[in-house]
Amino acid sequence: MTSILRRCLIESDLSELASASSPLVAGALFGAAAWAFGDACAMAGGGHPPTVVFLPPLFALFSLVVLALVPRRYLASLVEGGGGVFNTGEGMSASARAKVLLFLAWGCSFGSAAGGVALAAGSGAGGDARRSRLASGSLASTILTLVAGMVLWFGRGGEESYGGGYYGY
């Protein structure tokens, strides 16, 4: 048992361990986000929650999916001088599409965080306990989903070691 722990923890490269475990950590964070929102909706009671409570977590989920879909190799081609942002006569290059998608994802992330905070601040002023519970659950779900997206993005290993994504896919 000691030799297995030593080989896994001491002799292995920690960056490989981090990139291999980042989808698991992000999945756990996303599960906690879904639990927090579901728990807030269940504990608030009083019928169907208002639609505005669902918007910040949905935008955070959208940004998480877009961040997971953008391969880093397209962004690396911009840094290494792999051509301009636009190809000549072919429309947008892959690196330009990646930049547009990243801008869209980070914009949705910022908007969902701002919307969650505004929703929580607005519900605290009214004094309604049900609305306050729903807003706090929505904010917690939004923050946990955004942290899951950051773990997924920054925990991604180098593209040369995984062939462009997680586990060679």
Side-chain angles (χ1 to χ4, degrees):
M1 180 69 176
T2 308
S3 64
I4 294 172
L5 283 174
R6 179 180 180 160
R7 187 175 43 180
C8 289
L9 295 177
I10 296 172
E11 295 173 2
S12 69
D13 188 15
L14 290 179
S15 65
E16 289 180 17
L17 183 65
S19 65
S21 64
S22 67
L24 297 173
V25 173
L29 285 169
F30 182 71
W35 174 79
F37 188 68
D39 186 52
C41 288
M43 294 301 287
H48 185 68
T51 307
V52 72
V53 174
F54 294 102
L55 291 178
L58 285 177
F59 277 104
L61 176 63
F62 177 74
S63 69
L64 172 85
V65 169
V66 170
L67 280 176
L69 292 177
V70 175
R72 280 195 172 179
R73 67 175 176 259
Y74 296 140
L75 299 173
S77 68
L78 283 174
V79 174
E80 296 169 0
V85 174
F86 294 98
N87 287 338
T88 57
E90 297 179 11
M92 292 181 84
S93 67
S95 59
R97 280 191 300 271
K99 286 184 81 170
V100 167
L101 285 174
L102 278 181
F103 179 75
L104 181 66
W106 289 111
C108 282
S109 297
F110 178 74
S112 66
V117 168
L119 189 64
S123 68
D128 185 15
R130 178 179 184 268
R131 186 176 166 117
S132 178
R133 284 187 194 121
L134 288 171
S136 64
S138 176
L139 181 62
S141 176
T142 300
I143 289 172
L144 286 171
T145 304
L146 293 177
V147 170
M150 288 191 326
V151 165
L152 204 59
W153 177 257
F154 291 117
R156 203 182 284 193
E159 297 297 334
E160 64 275 354
S161 64
Y162 288 101
Y166 299 107
Y167 308 114
Y169 297 115

